Amino acid sequence: MYPQTAPPIDDDAALRAHGYKPELARRMGGFGNFAISFSVICILAGGMTLFGYGLNTGGPAVMMWGWVGIGFMTLMLGMCLAEVTSAYPTSGGLYYMADRLGGPRWGWVTGWLNLLGLLGAIAGIDYGAALFVGAFANLQWGFVPTPQNTMVIFAGILLLHGTLNALGVRLANVLNSISVWWQFLGVLLIVGSLTLAPTEHQSVSFVFGHFNNGTGFSNPVYVCALGCLLAAYTFCGYDASSHLSEETTQAQTAAPLGIVRAIAWSWAAGFVLLAGLLFALQNYADTQGSSTGVPPAQIFIDVLGVGMAKLLLLVVIVAQLFCGNAETAAASRMVYAFSRDGALPFSSTWRRVSRRTRTPIPAVWLSVGAALVLALPSLYSPTAYAAVTAINVIGITPAYAIPVYLRLRAGKDFQPGPWNLGRWSRPLAIISVAYVAVLTVVFCLPQASPITAESFNYAGVALAVVLVLAWAMWITKGRRTYRIPPLGSAAENDVLAEGVI
C-alpha cells in the first residue's frame, strides 16, 4: 500500500480557495510540522505518566501487546485523517473538514469536541509535568508534592508555555525540532542505562507474557481492553499537524506526512521505551507504590541509584515541557480558527493576530487560562486529574473519526488532495471508524471495582457534558454566528484584517 502524492498548489492560493485570507506566518517546514505532532504525542509524557496504570491494568503483557495493536490501528486512522487534511489544510483542522463534508452542525459538534479535547490535553500534559517536577524536587530537596504545591508548579508551567507561544511560531518551530531529538536521545539514554546496569533483568516471557490484574474485575478480556487505554491515551494530539498547516510550507503534503510520520516514529520509540522499563523492573509492588508517586522513577532508583534517577527524571520533565508547549500551539490555533468563524464568545478578541509575530496571542492566553480552570478541581479531588485526562481523550478521539466518516459518506463527491490513499481509502476508513467507535465505548467503561466516587470513570460524563454544551450553544448562539466562508471568498473578506493588532 503506497499513498499517492501529486504536486501541491501554492499554499496561500490553496488557503484563499478555502475562503480564508492568509494571516499567519508560514515559517514551518515539513520537519517542523512533523515535530509538533511528535512532540504532542510525546511518549516520554503519556507512556511515563500512565506507566503505573498499565502495571495495574493487565501488566506487562497487555502494555506491550496493547501498544503494538493500538499503535497499528492509530496509524491506519492517522492515514485516513491525513488524506482529509491534504484536501483541507487549514488551522481549523477537524471541524473545518467536518463542516465542508457534512455541513455546519457536523462542524460545530466536531469543533467543540476537538477544542475541549485540546484544552484538556494542555491541562493533562502540564499537570503531569508538574507531578514529575514534584517527584524530582522530592528526591532532591525533600519537597512534599501536596495538591497546593503541585498546582503552583502547574500554573508556572502554563505561564512559561503561554509566554513561549506568544513569541511566535519561529521559536515554537525551533523548540519542536529540538524536542524530536530530545525524545529520541532521551529514550536511548533511559533504555541504554537500564539495559547496561549490572542488575538482574526480567525475562522475555515476563515482559511479553506476564498478566497482572489489580482492577477488581475478574474478566481477563475486559481487563485487557482497559489496559490498552495506556497506548490509546498516549496516541493523542497528532491533529496538531493539521492545526499548524496555515504556518507550514507545502502544507497539502507536509501536514499529512507530519501526521503519519509522527504516529509511526512514536509507535516505534514507545515500544522500545516500554520494553526497556519492563525488562529493568525490580520489584512489582514497590514500583506500583513508589513514594515518589511516579513508578518509572522507582525503577530508575532501584536500578541506577538516586543520582542517576534524578538525571533521567530531568530528561523526562524537559520532554514533557516540550510536549505541553507544542500542545499549547495546536490548541491556540484551534481557538483562533474557531473564533475566526464566529464559534466562540468574544470571537473578535480571540481571532486577533499580532502584527509583529503574526501569532494569535489572545488565543494563546485563552488556551492556557482555560487549562488552568480545568485543573483547579485537582486541589480538592483526587479523581479530578483523571477527569481532565478523560476530557482530553473523549473529546479528541471521536473528533478524529468524524471527518473520516464524513469523507466515507461523501464517496466520489470527495475531492482528494495531493496526498491520498487511492483505492485503499474506503476500506481503511471503514476499519478506522469502527475502531474509534469501539475505543470510545471502552474509554467510558468502569476501570476499577468496586465503583466509588474516587474510582468512577468520568469519561462518559465528560462526553455527555461536551455534547450537551455544544447543543445548547448551537441553539442559543451557534446557528446565528458560526459560519465558515464560501469557497474562494477570501478576497471578499477583508474584514478579517480588522483582527490584526
Side-chain angles (χ1 to χ4, degrees):
M1 177 178 64
Y2 298 97
Q4 300 176 4
T5 59
I9 64 174
D10 177 76
D11 288 308
D12 287 347
L15 186 59
R16 287 189 176 93
H18 287 295
Y20 294 112
K21 180 178 180 178
E23 292 185 287
L24 306 179
R26 287 195 187 271
R27 294 170 178 166
M28 184 175 288
F31 181 81
N33 188 277
F34 148 77
I36 191 167
S37 282
F38 184 81
S39 298
V40 170
I41 294 174
C42 191
I43 55 172
L44 287 175
M48 301 290 277
T49 304
L50 295 168
F51 189 81
Y53 170 87
L55 292 178
N56 186 68
T57 315
V62 177
M63 294 168 75
M64 294 306 300
W65 292 114
W67 186 268
V68 172
I70 294 295
F72 179 74
M73 297 303 297
T74 304
L75 185 60
M76 281 201 293
L77 174 61
M79 292 175 71
C80 293
L81 189 62
E83 180 181 53
V84 187
T85 297
S86 181
Y88 304 107
T90 73
S91 295
L94 308 180
Y95 88 82
Y96 180 82
M97 305 174 197
D99 195 303
R100 286 296 186 207
L101 292 169
R105 293 185 182 182
W106 280 106
W108 179 264
V109 171
T110 304
W112 277 102
L113 286 171
N114 192 202
L115 177 60
L116 291 179
L118 288 168
L119 297 176
I122 298 175
I125 293 164
D126 282 0
Y127 196 85
L131 292 173
F132 270 73
V133 170
F136 173 83
N138 175 263
L139 292 175
Q140 182 67 28
W141 301 294
F143 174 84
V144 180
T146 63
Q148 292 77 17
N149 291 338
T150 302
M151 185 60 63
V152 171
I153 298 170
F154 171 63
I157 293 172
L158 288 175
L159 179 62
L160 171 66
H161 288 156
T163 302
L164 291 175
N165 274 276
L167 294 176
V169 72
R170 181 171 292 172
L171 176 61
N173 189 31
V174 171
L175 292 175
N176 291 330
S177 298
I178 295 172
S179 171
V180 171
W181 299 110
W182 186 274
Q183 287 199 60
F184 279 131
L185 294 175
V187 169
L188 290 176
L189 176 62
I190 291 170
V191 174
S193 300
L194 295 176
T195 301
L196 297 176
T199 56
E200 291 187 7
H201 290 79
Q202 299 289 344
S203 65
V204 172
S205 61
F206 173 84
V207 172
F208 291 94
H210 180 72
F211 179 81
N212 180 69
N213 179 13
T215 65
F217 296 108
S218 58
N219 188 322
V221 176
Y222 184 83
V223 175
C224 287
L226 295 179
C228 287
L229 295 184
L230 179 151
Y233 282 134
T234 305
F235 282 113
C236 281
Y238 46 86
D239 58 314
S241 289
S242 176
H243 293 301
L244 272 292
S245 58
E246 290 185 30
E247 294 157 272
T248 302
T249 56
Q250 296 186 334
Q252 293 168 288
T253 54
L257 284 172
I259 292 172
V260 175
R261 288 170 177 168
I263 296 171
W265 281 107
S266 297
W267 187 23
F271 181 88
V272 172
L273 177 64
L274 288 178
L277 289 168
L278 290 170
F279 272 115
L281 191 150
Q282 300 297 299
N283 185 296
Y284 209 103
D286 289 350
T287 300
Q288 285 182 291
S290 175
S291 61
T292 66
V294 178
Q298 192 62 49
I299 296 176
F300 299 159
I301 294 170
D302 292 343
V303 176
L304 302 167
V306 175
M308 191 64 179
K310 294 177 186 177
L311 173 63
L312 295 184
L313 273 177
L314 282 176
V315 170
V316 174
I317 289 168
V318 172
Q320 292 174 337
L321 293 177
F322 279 132
C323 176
N325 191 67
E327 186 64 59
T328 301
S332 64
R333 272 47 174 194
M334 171 65 191
V335 170
Y336 158 76
F338 219 25
S339 299
R340 181 175 61 182
D341 292 329
L344 297 182
F346 310 107
S347 287
S348 61
T349 297
W350 314 126
R351 74 185 185 193
R352 292 180 181 173
V353 176
S354 167
R355 289 187 183 275
R356 184 174 62 84
T357 64
R358 295 179 67 186
T359 301
I361 293 178
V364 169
W365 291 112
L366 177 62
S367 299
V368 296
L372 177 64
V373 172
L374 284 175
L376 282 178
S378 297
L379 285 169
Y380 313 103
S381 170
T383 62
Y385 180 60
V388 169
T389 305
I391 291 172
N392 170 18
V393 298
I394 208 66
I396 284 183
T397 305
Y400 288 157
I402 291 173
V404 177
Y405 163 73
L406 294 174
R407 179 262 173 273
L408 187 64
R409 192 181 71 168
K412 294 182 179 179
D413 292 336
F414 172 72
Q415 298 297 318
W419 195 98
N420 61 84
L421 297 171
R423 62 189 179 91
W424 289 96
S425 179
R426 183 174 178 80
L428 291 185
I430 293 173
I431 295 171
S432 296
V433 171
Y435 161 70
V436 172
V438 172
L439 190 63
T440 302
V441 173
V442 175
F443 273 136
C444 298
L445 296 175
Q447 296 180 358
S449 179
I451 301 172
T452 65
E454 292 190 2
S455 65
F456 184 74
N457 182 3
Y458 290 91
V461 177
L463 179 59
V465 168
V466 171
L467 293 176
V468 170
L469 177 64
W471 174 81
M473 293 194 68
W474 172 260
I475 296 297
T476 58
K477 173 182 171 64
R479 58 184 176 183
R480 294 192 305 272
T481 63
Y482 167 68
R483 294 286 187 277
I484 66 170
L487 292 174
S489 65
E492 302 168 9
N493 289 323
D494 288 338
V495 69
L496 289 173
E498 297 176 4
V500 179
I501 60 175

